[in-house]
Amino acid sequence: MYEPIRAKSVHSTMAGTASDFPHRSREEELDIQLAGHLAALLAATDELRGLTPSADLETAAERLAEQVARLRYGRAPLRATPSATGDPAGLHRRAHTLAGRALVVAASRADTAVAILTAERMDAHAAALSDPKELSPAR
């Protein structure tokens, strides 16, 4: 009636076998993800610095660069060359979104310093979007 299986199953588990590729821990994955979000936020900040230079953006860019370097074990991030063309409102919206994403990851990995920094950046970009003179490019 029933014939036993004679061949090894192709649906065997990987438990107890050595892997042929390296695995990263959850913390390492979150570090990589957070560094990526912060690097993108830094690029948007650098672009904004070219359009509307301010001491706040300079300070924010330096703080973001420090955090990216810390998460990348001392490797400094590549910096965008600010251009004098673009849409400040669009960049502020993009930076606000990126800061929000970074805040979520920072909260999940309990990185208080980055969480505070990204919350500050979200507030700054939201304030800039509500102030029409902040959105006019510097001449």
Side-chain angles (χ1 to χ4, degrees), residues 4-113:
I5 298 173
R6 293 190 177 117
K8 273 203 174 254
S9 172
V10 295
H11 301 289
S12 64
T13 65
M14 295 296 292
T17 61
S19 163
D20 60 346
F21 58 93
H23 290 279
R24 289 188 282 256
S25 68
R26 179 177 185 273
E27 290 78 23
E28 289 170 321
E29 289 291 339
L30 288 174
D31 284 350
I32 292 166
Q33 188 176 18
L34 184 56
H37 289 315
L38 290 176
L41 178 57
L42 176 59
T45 303
D46 282 340
E47 284 297 316
L48 280 167
R49 284 178 37 235
L51 291 173
T52 56
S54 74
D56 178 51
L57 289 173
E58 292 291 332
T59 303
E62 291 307 315
R63 290 175 63 197
L64 288 166
E66 287 171 10
Q67 292 300 324
V68 172
R70 179 182 63 86
L71 290 166
R72 290 184 176 168
Y73 306 106
R75 289 182 301 163
L78 294 175
R79 300 291 298 267
T81 304
S83 65
T85 60
D87 174 30
L91 280 171
H92 279 293
R93 278 191 292 275
R94 181 169 169 243
H96 185 272
T97 301
L98 290 166
R101 290 177 183 167
L103 178 59
V104 170
V105 178
S108 72
R109 67 180 296 277
D111 191 331
T112 307

